[in-house]
Amino acid sequence: MFRTTVVVLVGLVTAALPARELTAQPNFEIQVYPSKTAENHTTLFELHSNFTGSGSWLTEGTVLPSQHAVHETLEITHGFGDIFEVGLYLFGAREPGRASEFVGTHIRPRVMVPESWKLPVGLSLSTEIGPVSTKYDANNVSVEFRPIIDQTLGKFYWAVNPTVGWSVKGPDAGKGTAGMGFEPNVKIAYSLEKRIAVGFEYYGATGSITRLAPLKQQEHVVYPSIDLFLSEDWETNIGYGLRVAGTGDRNVFKLIVGRRFGW
């Protein structure tokens, strides 16, 4: 069963529509999302931290180089009812030789299919929109449309986020399908025990939905990862990004620490 699941996941990634070429520093929220929304009257505070060990050295248009950049993102998510949540992101960055600065903010409503439907997989849909500085993304106002599919099979867990994004303001705005992107994210994890899981996460970008980019312009990064669930209220994700094909940053260390509060 698990082997069949892996084959299906690989097929989804390799057969998926390609995405637009990215002119951005992508390493702000490096996460494959689960389908379950935050519980009613609970708030999850997450700090996303990452360091780019090997990135771009030159400024591309308005976008600063990512070599040795540190990104910090505060994500605040609150649950409303049983199937709906709203997340708020506050992005920050520190470049070598520059002071720390505020990059921008996004808002992310998400709705999930009720568990009472008893589907074999979890399903939810997230939409994210907001402005960021052109120093970090040439398309400084964008929309992200992220369907989320996941499932737990014994000690194995898998999730697929076939993400589509497009620009509202920036070089790709107004280009129709040529300015839209597909960025598949995949996670597979195995629970060693109740509080520890190991596995990998995959993040890709392959061109535009009307034109597949040459491989050297695509992005394919794999993160061996560890998930720690220290209690019902605390969670931690640690990963190290290795570029396996194409372009983009590599040797990226990421850490996500989350604390859940009930009201």
Side-chain angles (χ1 to χ4, degrees):
M1 179 65 178
F2 178 67
R3 181 179 299 176
T4 301
T5 301
V6 173
V7 171
V8 171
L9 293 180
V10 173
L12 285 171
V13 172
T14 56
L17 291 173
R20 71 184 187 280
E21 296 178 20
L22 302 178
T23 50
Q25 289 192 11
N27 303 325
F28 281 91
E29 40 168 325
I30 309 171
Q31 183 178 18
V32 180
Y33 284 85
S35 65
K36 186 173 177 58
T37 55
E39 295 182 1
N40 191 29
H41 301 307
T42 64
T43 304
L44 176 63
F45 292 84
E46 290 181 297
L47 181 62
H48 300 245
S49 305
N50 59 74
F51 171 78
T52 302
S54 302
S56 60
W57 285 86
L58 302 175
T59 298
E60 298 181 23
T62 61
V63 179
L64 296 173
S66 60
Q67 176 77 4
H68 293 171
V70 175
H71 297 134
E72 300 279 359
T73 300
L74 176 63
E75 178 183 357
I76 306 171
T77 304
H78 186 78
F80 299 89
D82 295 329
I83 63 171
F84 182 69
E85 70 178 24
V86 175
L88 174 68
Y89 298 91
L90 302 173
F91 304 118
R94 182 178 178 85
E95 300 282 334
R98 300 172 62 95
S100 298
E101 61 182 313
F102 179 67
V103 174
T105 182
H106 281 183
I107 189 169
R108 177 188 54 76
R110 179 153 67 104
V111 62
M112 78 172 188
V113 171
E115 294 180 350
S116 60
W117 290 18
K118 299 187 183 301
L119 298 180
V121 297
L123 295 175
S124 65
L125 179 62
S126 168
T127 302
E128 185 176 327
I129 185 171
V132 296
S133 169
T134 54
K135 296 178 184 177
Y136 297 90
D137 192 340
N139 295 291
N140 63 307
V141 181
S142 59
V143 177
E144 178 185 277
F145 183 78
R146 182 190 296 257
I148 303 167
I149 310 122
D150 68 355
Q151 185 183 44
T152 299
L153 299 168
K155 292 188 175 183
F156 287 97
Y157 169 82
W158 63 264
V160 177
N161 298 176
T163 306
V164 177
W166 61 94
S167 172
V168 176
K169 181 181 179 182
D172 291 327
K175 292 185 178 180
T177 56
M180 298 177 66
F182 182 86
E183 300 171 21
N185 304 161
V186 175
K187 180 183 180 77
I188 294 179
Y190 176 80
S191 295
L192 298 177
E193 56 177 86
K194 183 178 180 180
R195 300 188 185 280
I196 302 176
V198 298
F200 72 86
E201 300 168 12
Y202 162 81
Y203 300 88
T206 55
S208 75
I209 63 173
T210 55
R211 182 177 64 85
L212 183 67
L215 179 60
K216 65 180 181 179
Q217 296 178 12
Q218 299 179 28
E219 296 183 11
H220 301 279
V221 183
V222 172
Y223 283 76
S225 62
I226 299 174
D227 293 291
L228 304 176
F229 305 97
L230 304 179
S231 72
E232 292 184 357
D233 294 328
W234 286 93
E235 56 187 54
T236 302
N237 171 263
I238 304 170
Y240 189 78
L242 303 170
R243 188 178 69 197
V244 295
T247 187
D249 297 338
R250 61 189 188 279
N251 301 326
V252 179
F253 174 79
K254 69 157 182 161
L255 171 66
I256 304 172
V257 178
R259 173 67 161 91
R260 185 176 292 102
F261 295 89
W263 309 105

